[in-house]
Each structure stands twice: as C-alpha cells, then as structure tokens.
Amino acid sequence: MVQLHVKRGDESQFLFTTTVDVPVEELTKQVTAVYNGRLKVDRICSEMEELAEHGVTLPPNMQGLTDEQITELKLRDEWALKCVPSGGAEFKKDEIGRRNGHAPNEKMKQVLQKTIEEAKSLISKKQVQANVCVTLEMVKEALDQLRGAVMIVYPMGLPPHDPIRLEFEDREDLSGTQAALQLIADSEAQLWWAAKELHRGKKLTEYVGKNEKTKIIVKIQKRGQGAPAREPVISPEDQKQMMMYYSRREEELKKLQKADDDSYLDSEWADRHSLKKQFQGLGDIKWGPR
C-alpha cells in the first residue's frame, strides 16, 4: 500500500494509505473527506468542552444579553426545562452569555471530557509520529463516540439551535467564521506532490510508479492557490541535530585551542631557573628605570 503523508502548508495532518492504481479523482475525494472530517471532530470537541462547563446554548435571540436585558425584553428559554442533563444540573454562569449555565454534574462532566479525549486521540496529528494511518472509518468512529456521550448526558437531546446538534445533523453554518477558512470543498480540493499537481482524470501510478511500498508527502489545498512551497531538503529535526553537532564541535575546537596555548610559559612559576636565581639573589632584579 502506498502511504501518503498529508500536509496543509507545512503542517502535518495525517497519514493515509491507498494503492498506486487509485484514480486521482477518487483519492482526492477520500483525502478531502478525512481532512474535513477531522476538522468536524475538532469543532464538536470544542463545543462539547463548553457544554460540559456551562450547559446547552441559549436561543440565538438571547445569546450575549445580560440578565437585565432578557428580563426587560421578556425573553424565555423554552428549552431550559426540556434539556436537563442526567443526574441534574449544577449552575455555572457563562460569562459571555452564550450558554444557559445549567451544566452537567461532575460525573456526567467526566463522561463528556473522557470521550472528548478519546475522540481527539483517534484522529490526532500525533498519529503521524506513531505511524498510524487515519481512515474515514476512524473519523466516523470518533463522531459516533461523541454522539453517544451526548446522548448519555442529554438523553432527551439537545436544542435544535445547539451547534453540537447541528454538526451531528450536518446542518452547521460556518459562514463568516475561521472554521470556514479551514474547510476545503471536494470540488475545490487539489493534491500536490513534488511541486506537481495530481490531476484528476489520471491515476496515482502515473506519478509515483508501480511500487506499492512508496511513501510520499502530498499537500492538500484549495484550487487557485498556486503550487505549495517545496519540502525542505532536510527535515527540521535533522537541521536541529546538525546545528547541535556543529555547536558541540565548535566548543571542542575552542577547548583544544586553549589546551595548545603556551603563553603560560611567560609566567614566573614556569621559569625553570627561578630556584637558581633565588640562591644567587637575582630573583627580584628588574630592568629599566625605577
């Protein structure tokens, strides 16, 4: 199986396996699906961390308002009594006024936090160092774990406006957010390798040959952004090791240079005739005017 090290810019994303006979069109779709799926998991995990701390989100017309403004406008959260966490709620006010403050108890909070950690580790960028390839099935498994944890803590479900529910139902609206800039639509995705675009309509073997044990670095980006920067000749880690080596070598040369220094021979204690001069009374003679 061909192993792809997928990057966005210079940042590692994940490892992905495929075959040399795969059409580039299909490969691009698969890689893009995993890439966007990992972003979805990260977004849900971020929202679930807030859910564990401050409960479900308020209706859009109540978010960001103070208690006085809500009272003055006579607004009411109809979902506050419907979406109560299992085991009861603990009030923890959300200072930014985005969530209702009815947080899960400590036991249910731990359920959410533990699941978040497990889901993140499943699709983490650290899997690259561990040489573990990420698949679309692993992304779906992470999403299922998160969905299951939310159902345990909120068996009645989340409000229809809650971003976590919207993400699970693929109804999220990311327009105008930073998250939208990270996403790459399937129709806009491009894969690059060795400063060459992998054109749809061709097969991977036309670029990398027929060796199924090939390992390459591919970069994913949006169409129209031009060729990504080439990979450095040596990796940052190798460069760091080289700099450390030359630094140690320079220190060793300085020590050797000091060891070869013979200026100490001009010192009084290094004069081999000093004892003779003392007996002859010549030890304190100075030349020149006093």
Side-chain angles (χ1 to χ4, degrees):
M1 299 292 283
V2 178
Q3 186 181 87
L4 309 182
H5 180 177
V6 181
K7 289 187 173 185
R8 177 87 188 267
D10 293 328
E11 189 175 359
S12 293
Q13 299 294 323
F14 56 92
L15 299 180
F16 186 82
T17 57
T18 186
T19 65
V20 294
D21 293 324
V22 65
V24 173
E25 175 86 22
E26 181 182 344
L27 176 62
T28 304
K29 290 181 179 179
Q30 292 172 347
V31 172
T32 304
V34 174
Y35 173 79
N36 289 332
R38 291 178 65 256
L39 293 177
K40 177 185 274 287
V41 172
D42 283 337
R43 293 195 303 271
I44 294 175
C45 287
S46 178
E47 290 291 349
M48 285 180 60
E49 289 171 354
E50 293 296 317
L51 178 70
E53 290 293 333
H54 303 294
V56 300
T57 54
L58 291 165
N61 62 337
M62 295 177 63
Q63 293 183 18
L65 300 180
T66 63
D67 294 339
E68 292 76 12
Q69 290 172 324
I70 292 175
T71 303
E72 183 180 348
L73 295 172
K74 298 179 180 180
L75 299 177
R76 182 169 172 269
D77 182 8
E78 298 179 356
W79 296 92
L81 298 177
K82 298 178 183 179
C83 301
V84 179
S86 298
E90 298 177 357
F91 188 75
K92 295 181 180 179
K93 184 176 177 62
D94 183 7
E95 297 299 332
I96 63 175
R98 186 165 175 262
R99 295 181 174 272
N100 66 8
H102 298 291
N105 61 31
E106 189 62 30
K107 183 178 180 181
M108 292 295 103
K109 179 180 177 180
Q110 290 178 3
V111 170
L112 293 175
Q113 291 177 336
K114 182 180 179 181
T115 307
I116 290 170
E117 291 176 5
E118 292 175 351
K120 281 185 174 181
S121 63
L122 200 60
I123 51 92
S124 171
K125 294 177 181 178
K126 294 181 181 179
Q127 297 283 44
V128 174
Q129 285 76 34
N131 200 35
V132 175
C133 295
V134 178
T135 64
L136 190 57
E137 287 70 27
M138 292 170 67
V139 174
K140 291 178 179 178
E141 181 182 347
L143 291 172
D144 289 340
Q145 289 179 353
L146 296 172
R147 186 181 290 107
V150 171
M151 290 179 66
I152 291 173
V153 180
Y154 290 90
M156 73 300 293
L158 297 175
H161 54 266
D162 194 282
I164 298 174
R165 178 171 172 176
L166 294 175
E167 287 279 4
F168 284 143
E169 296 176 354
D170 295 326
R171 296 189 294 113
E172 69 274 15
D173 182 11
L174 303 177
S175 55
T177 65
Q178 184 65 29
L181 300 177
Q182 297 176 316
L183 284 174
I184 301 178
D186 175 58
S187 58
E188 298 179 350
Q190 286 181 327
L191 296 181
W192 290 75
W193 169 66
K196 298 177 183 177
E197 181 188 350
L198 305 185
H199 292 283
R200 304 191 185 206
K202 293 187 176 183
K203 290 189 175 183
L204 186 60
T205 186
E206 298 180 51
Y207 295 95
V208 302
K210 298 181 179 180
N211 187 356
E212 288 285 358
K213 295 183 179 180
T214 302
K215 295 182 179 181
I216 63 174
I217 296 176
V218 298
K219 295 192 175 183
I220 184 172
Q221 64 179 30
K222 291 182 180 179
R223 188 179 302 279
Q225 293 183 335
R230 281 179 172 269
E231 284 294 300
V233 178
I234 58 175
S235 67
E237 183 61 28
D238 290 340
Q239 186 177 14
K240 181 180 177 182
Q241 294 296 329
M242 289 175 62
M243 292 178 66
M244 291 174 60
Y245 169 78
Y246 285 116
S247 178
R248 288 195 300 266
R249 181 62 177 163
E250 187 176 353
E251 291 297 323
E252 291 174 359
L253 290 174
K254 286 181 180 179
K255 290 179 181 179
L256 289 173
Q257 187 176 4
K258 288 182 180 179
D260 290 340
D261 188 4
D262 58 0
S263 59
Y264 68 89
L265 295 176
D266 295 332
S267 302
E268 183 179 350
W269 59 266
D271 186 0
R272 61 182 179 177
H273 299 295
S274 60
L275 183 60
K276 180 180 178 180
K277 289 179 180 178
Q278 288 182 11
F279 282 125
Q280 294 177 343
L282 304 175
D284 200 25
I285 295 177
K286 298 184 181 295
W287 301 98
R290 291 182 178 273

